[in-house]
Amino acid sequence: MDVVVWRAPGPASSAEAAARYAELRSSPLGAFEPSVAAFVRELRQTSPDPSSPLSWNDALTVATDAVIVHVVWPGQQRVLDLVSLLAARHGLVCYEPARQVAMS
């Protein structure tokens, strides 16, 4: 399951979020946008699942101004809640493609 986080001027509709997700999946990796960098720093200071050998480094795909978080832990809802909370804290859009839900 993926969750996508990026900076946008305002809330995104589910259709806009789906289009941005498709664009990000096909774009090359690049440098961080400042608010995305702050999101990633704070996310990496948490533990997605202390009992798992996987870390955030294994679960993040970072583009120029966005992050795709690959939620690979059993406690998916807890991880989704954390990602959504941190995205909101940093003024970022959060999109869950599986349910086609944009959270801002």
Side-chain angles (χ1 to χ4, degrees):
M1 164 185 269
D2 290 344
V3 177
V4 190
V5 176
W6 70 89
R7 185 173 179 272
S13 70
S14 291
E16 292 168 326
R20 180 67 174 128
Y21 174 64
E23 177 186 324
L24 290 169
R25 297 239 349 158
S26 64
S27 67
L29 299 180
F32 284 117
E33 193 277 340
S35 59
V36 173
F39 165 81
V40 170
R41 272 194 305 274
E42 189 168 355
L43 188 64
R44 285 183 172 156
Q45 291 173 355
T46 67
S47 177
D49 182 352
S51 65
S52 173
L54 293 172
S55 70
W56 287 119
N57 291 336
D58 302 318
L60 301 179
T61 298
V62 182
T64 302
D65 63 348
V67 178
I68 298 175
V69 180
H70 310 286
V71 181
V72 295
W73 298 276
Q76 287 184 345
Q77 190 58 52
R78 186 177 56 80
V79 175
L80 291 173
D81 292 344
L82 173 64
V83 170
S84 180
L85 173 75
L86 294 181
R89 183 179 297 168
H90 292 282
L92 304 171
V93 171
C94 185
Y95 174 64
E96 188 183 331
R99 294 187 311 141
Q100 298 182 348
V101 175
M103 303 162 277
S104 299

